[in-house]
Amino acid sequence: MKLPQGVLSSKVGQVCRLNKSLYGLKQASRQWFEKLTTFLQAQGFLHAHADHTLFTKTDSSSFTAILVYVDDIILTGTSLSMINFLKKSLDDTFHIKDLGQLKFFLGLEVARSSKGISLCQRKYCLELLHDAGLAGCKPVSTPLDASSRLHQDGGSIFSDVTAYRRLVGRLLYLTNTRPDIAFATQQLSQFMSSPTESHCKDALRFLRYLKQSPARGIFLSQASDLQLSGFSDADWGGCVDTRRSISGYCFFIGQSLVSWKAKKHLTVSCSSAEAEYHALASATRELQWLCFLLHDLHQHPSRLPVLYCDSQSALHISINPVFHGRNKHLDIDCHLVREKLQAGVMRLLPVYSQDQAADVFTKALGPRPFHSCLSKLGLINIYQPQACGG
C-alpha cells in the first residue's frame, strides 16, 4: 500500500491505518475496471465502441476478444498460444483463477457441440421453481392466458409485496436466454408497486409454464452466415390501463437469435400506423448498434441487413419523403428510419403477419400460435433430444 499523493511521512516505512475496506463499495468496481482497462490497453487491446465491457486485439495471425463483467472475464480468440499468454499475464498481474473452457457464467449454462453453442439457465430456473414451492407443479403450455389481459384491478393487495418484486426481478434475469418469456415478464413488472392477488396468481401460472421446459434456451448455430435480419411488431393500445402500445423486436445472425425486446411505449399512439412506426424506429436503433458491435468484432455482414415489418402503413411512411399533417409528430422517428434506409445501412421489407417472428413479444398468444413463434425463434432444449433435430 502506498501513501496518497501529497501525504508526506517523516518516518521510513510508515503506512496508513485502514479504517474501511474499499471492497464492496461503489469505488471498488470502478477502480478495478480502470486498472484492468489500463492493463489490457498496455497489452494492445482496443476498447470496443459499441460495448464498453468488450476489448479486442487483432494482429496479422490472430484475433482475441475479452468480455468483462466486474471481476468475471470471458476470453476467446483464434490463437490458443495468444490466449495462454494472456492468461499468464493476467495471473501474474491479478492472480486470477482459470476455470477452463466456458461452461457456466453468471447463471448461464453453455454447452458446445459440432453444430453450435447452446445457452440456457436450467439450474437457475429450477432453483426459482424450488424457492417458490412449485418444483412438482403441473405445467402449462403458455406463460400467460391469451383470453385475458393483465391490468391494475381493484382486488386486494398481495400480502407479501417484497416476494412478488423478488420473483419478477429473478424472471427479468431469466429473459437473458428465454425470449419466450420476455412479454410475460414485461407484463408482470408493471405492477411492482402494488401487486394484487390476481397478479400473484398470474405469476404462479407463469412459473408453471417454466416447469414445462426449464432447460429451454437459444441456440447459436455454427452453420449460420453473417446475414443480419430482424423483425419489428407492435400491438396498438395493448395496455388496458394506459392504452399505450407494446412493441417488440428480434434480430438474427443467420438462423441464430441474438437480440430481442418487449417494451411498452412511453406515450399513447393515435393510430396503429404510429405504434408500428415507433416500434420500427426502436428496432432500427438496435440494428444500428448490432452493426457497430459486429464492426468492433471485425465481422462484416455478408449482405445488407434486413428489417421486416408487417405494417404497410409504416412501410409507406418510411419510403415516402413527404410529411403529411397526420404524421408530423413522427418527425424524429421518420428521419431516423428514412436516414438509415437512404444511407444503405439496411433494407426494409414487408412480411406476412403469419410469418412475423416478433409477434410473441407484443401480446399473449394461444398455444398453437405461441409455439409456432417459438419455432421461428429457434429455441431448443438440449435435455430433450427430439428438440435438437435440425
Side-chain angles (χ1 to χ4, degrees), residues 112-178:
R112 294 180 180 84
S113 70
S114 59
K115 295 182 179 180
I117 297 175
S118 170
L119 300 176
C120 71
Q121 292 170 272
R122 179 177 179 270
K123 183 175 182 293
Y124 180 88
C125 186
L126 291 176
E127 289 177 351
L128 194 157
L129 290 170
H130 181 268
D131 292 344
L134 296 175
C137 68
K138 182 179 179 181
V140 294
S141 58
T142 58
L144 292 177
D145 185 0
S147 62
S148 63
R149 291 189 175 186
L150 273 68
H151 62 283
Q152 191 63 60
D153 56 48
S156 57
I157 301 298
F158 183 52
S159 57
D160 195 349
V161 176
T162 302
Y164 181 88
R165 294 171 180 170
R166 187 185 303 113
L167 172 60
V168 175
R170 298 179 70 177
L171 291 174
L172 285 170
Y173 189 69
L174 188 58
T175 58
N176 285 326
T177 57
R178 295 291 297 264

Side-chain angles (χ1 to χ4, degrees), residues 356-372:
Q356 174 61 269
D359 199 32
V360 71
F361 300 107
T362 61
K363 61 179 74 70
L365 302 174
R368 180 172 294 181
F370 178 79
H371 289 282
S372 176

